Amino acid sequence: MISTVIFASLAVYSWKILGFLIPDRLIGERGRLIAERMTVSLLAALVMLQGFSSQSDLVLDARAASLVVAGALLALRVPYIFVVLAGAVVAAGVRLLGF
């Protein structure tokens, strides 16, 4: 599973490098959109993988609660440092409660 993530990361990184090396007229708008969407989808996959899995099992623990709170705060456009701090506090609180 980790090899898939590494391969996908290298693929996205190569797209970014190619975007800088190839003239804009050869890439066009469609190529730019594909590169942007690949980056976002890889980031979303990494968040889901790290937030909701343990070994090869799906788990809902303190990380899931922390991600929900962080997502809500980001949607409200709260400054990033407060999002991180709130996520850490929520994760610590959930773990303290024993979930």
Side-chain angles (χ1 to χ4, degrees):
M1 172 134 39
I2 193 73
S3 60
T4 304
V5 173
I6 291 171
F7 176 74
S9 299
L10 291 174
V12 169
Y13 186 71
S14 69
W15 272 92
K16 288 295 182 181
I17 294 297
L18 285 175
F20 289 117
L21 297 177
I22 297 175
D24 197 34
R25 61 180 162 72
L26 293 178
I27 294 176
E29 188 65 30
R30 184 172 180 180
R32 192 175 311 112
L33 285 174
I34 289 171
E36 289 173 1
R37 289 179 181 162
M38 286 178 92
T39 305
V40 171
S41 62
L42 179 62
L43 180 59
L46 288 172
V47 167
M48 298 309 280
L49 181 68
Q50 294 297 315
F52 297 106
S53 69
S54 178
Q55 301 294 332
S56 62
D57 298 326
L58 177 66
V59 294
L60 292 174
D61 58 3
R63 296 176 294 172
S66 179
L67 282 172
V68 169
V69 168
L73 292 176
L74 284 173
L76 295 172
R77 299 196 180 270
V78 173
Y80 188 70
I81 187 68
F82 295 121
V83 172
V84 172
L85 291 173
V89 167
V90 168
V94 170
R95 287 185 177 137
L96 184 67
L97 294 173
F99 291 106

